[in-house]
Amino acid sequence: DEPAWRMEVKKYPRLTLVGGIGNYTDANVPAAYYTQEDIKEIVSYAADRFITVIPEIDMPGHATAANMAYPEYSGGGSKDHPEFTFNPGYEKTYRYLTHILKETQLLFPANMIHLGGDEVSFGNQEWKTDTAITALKQRKGLSSDLAVEKYFMKRMADSVFAMKSKVLVWDEMVDSDLPIDKTIIFWWRHDKPEQLNQALTKGYQTVLCPRLPLYFDFVQDTKHQYGRKWGGKFNDLLSVYNFDIGKSLTNSRDQQYVIGIQANLWTETAQNEQRLDYLLFPRIASLAEAAWSIPAKRNDQQFLSRLKTHLNWYKAAGLNFYNPDEPIKTPEPASKKKVSQNIKD
């Protein structure tokens, strides 16, 4: 992703040795990443607990870290997002990324790879003047940068399909005409319900993970100073608990295509495990209730009463959790960045 590259790829060692340098708050810290042996251990540990680990290699945007390592595949960027994109005009780009995806597939037996496809417009300004991309537009009859983006994603999806895997993408890719039976859409833009309903109308399997209320790196208490908000709004315990899938749909029949909900926690914003725990617990209990309970039968007070048992479990496990009953006793761990209004990553 954009802040750093964290997965060892044998064929391209500079991805981690160079692309792994830095983090969300300090661009100069030494390279840190998961070796392939680390990944195998994590995948095995998770499988023993009935958890499937699914990788994401975001493209064609959020490529800054990869482009630091191998600039010959860069499609440029913008002032705020330098070297943000891969270059769809080079044939070598598709070979490069396919090699990366092949190594990824061998490490993760889920037979699913998330290709991202989000926020490309943050840094594709140079696509308009890049000679290779201009030639691609002329050769393939692509009328816009958005058409280039869709062309790129369809080609990379074909590489994943050839590995007998499904493609996962963010909701920007609803219009890319990816095959319905091989693609899962992740709806994250709560302010664009039309993307969700278009995905469901087309019959795509869809996961709901809207920023409001399911981004767990968002602030969860009015007094908290660190994290993110959206238009002044944040994601407290009860807003997660009361998330109702049905309210996001224009047609109740489309709910058959919703395969689940997901909380997103962009861990580059969590400097240590203490802060990670604080962002996760107890909101993860709210997430479970939102996913598996009937909205009409939910009761805030009953939930908060049941939650006390969970809080005791968290305490016994040594977790640094947020306690809605006694917030002073479990103060918010500091972060290097104060509350921000960022969109996604």
Side-chain angles (χ1 to χ4, degrees):
D1 215 318
E2 188 176 1
W5 188 280
R6 301 300 188 200
M7 183 187 78
E8 180 186 28
V9 178
K10 301 285 190 182
K11 189 173 181 66
Y12 301 106
R14 287 174 60 84
L15 284 173
T16 47
L17 297 178
V18 176
I21 295 172
N23 59 33
Y24 188 65
T25 57
D26 186 345
N28 299 310
V29 298
Y33 56 90
Y34 296 99
T35 68
Q36 293 199 358
E37 290 305 310
D38 290 335
I39 292 170
K40 290 174 184 176
E41 179 183 351
I42 291 166
V43 169
S44 175
Y45 181 92
D48 288 344
R49 290 153 180 81
F50 308 102
I51 297 169
T52 300
V53 183
I54 301 170
E56 178 186 3
I57 308 291
D58 207 341
M59 57 183 74
H62 288 283
T64 304
N67 288 335
M68 284 176 56
Y70 293 96
E72 60 266 38
Y73 304 107
S74 175
S78 63
K79 179 181 178 181
D80 293 332
H81 300 274
E83 305 304 325
F84 188 70
T85 63
F86 294 114
N87 193 315
Y90 297 145
E91 281 300 308
K92 64 182 182 181
T93 301
Y94 301 98
R95 293 193 294 270
Y96 165 66
L97 292 173
T98 297
H99 285 308
I100 291 172
L101 292 175
K102 285 180 178 178
E103 286 200 34
T104 303
Q105 167 72 1
L106 292 174
L107 291 169
F108 297 90
N111 292 324
M112 290 181 280
I113 298 179
H114 205 308
L115 296 183
D118 60 307
E119 299 180 330
V120 181
S121 62
F122 281 13
N124 67 350
Q125 287 75 12
E126 293 179 40
W127 286 17
K128 298 185 187 308
T129 55
D130 185 274
T131 55
I133 295 175
T134 300
L136 173 68
K137 288 178 178 177
Q138 295 173 346
R139 191 166 64 250
K140 297 295 181 179
L142 304 174
S143 60
S144 65
D145 291 339
L146 184 59
V148 171
E149 192 178 317
K150 293 177 181 178
Y151 169 84
F152 169 91
M153 187 57 70
K154 289 177 78 171
R155 283 197 59 176
M156 292 313 307
D158 284 343
S159 292
V160 176
F161 299 146
M163 302 172 203
K164 309 299 181 185
S165 287
K166 282 191 173 184
V167 163
L168 283 53
V169 287
W170 298 111
D171 63 53
E172 284 94 332
M173 291 292 108
V174 169
D175 298 321
S176 293
D177 298 322
L178 295 171
I180 290 171
D181 60 329
K182 299 178 182 178
T183 306
I184 300 175
I185 303 290
F186 284 68
W187 176 61
W188 68 277
R189 293 182 292 176
H190 72 277
D191 55 327
K192 293 189 179 293
E194 67 275 12
Q195 293 298 105
L196 168 63
N197 287 291
Q198 187 179 350
L200 297 175
T201 299
K202 290 182 175 181
Y204 282 110
Q205 287 189 318
T206 304
V207 175
L208 276 54
C209 49
R211 284 172 299 212
L212 297 178
L214 297 183
Y215 269 35
F216 280 10
D217 52 343
F218 272 38
V219 172
Q220 58 183 322
D221 187 291
T222 55
K223 297 182 177 62
H224 288 172
Q225 302 180 58
Y226 305 97
R228 299 192 296 157
K229 292 183 179 181
W230 177 271
K233 297 180 180 179
F234 55 94
N235 296 333
D236 66 296
L237 189 67
L238 289 178
S239 69
V240 179
Y241 171 69
N242 286 304
F243 177 65
D244 183 352
I245 292 173
K247 290 182 178 179
S248 302
L249 309 180
T250 56
N251 188 332
S252 60
R253 290 174 297 182
D254 289 340
Q255 189 160 332
Q256 64 182 305
Y257 301 115
V258 176
I259 60 174
I261 67 174
Q262 170 181 290
N264 293 348
L265 203 174
W266 309 103
T267 53
E268 67 261 24
T269 67
Q271 275 80 48
N272 51 53
E273 288 189 22
Q274 288 71 34
R275 179 154 182 82
L276 181 65
D277 287 349
Y278 196 81
L279 295 170
L280 272 175
F281 301 98
R283 285 192 289 192
I284 198 167
S286 295
L287 178 73
E289 294 265 354
W292 295 325
S293 66
I294 300 171
K297 293 186 176 181
R298 292 179 197 160
N299 180 293
D300 290 359
Q301 293 308 311
Q302 288 180 7
F303 168 67
L304 293 173
S305 178
R306 292 198 307 276
L307 189 65
K308 295 180 187 299
T309 301
H310 287 256
L311 300 182
N312 289 331
W313 290 340
Y314 302 158
K315 185 175 181 180
L319 298 174
N320 189 61
F321 60 94
Y322 168 66
N323 189 333
D325 294 331
E326 300 177 296
I328 296 177
K329 289 189 175 180
T330 56
E332 178 189 24
S335 176
K336 293 182 181 179
K337 288 193 176 184
K338 293 276 188 172
V339 168
S340 73
Q341 300 287 340
N342 290 347
I343 293 178
K344 182 169 181 280
D345 294 327

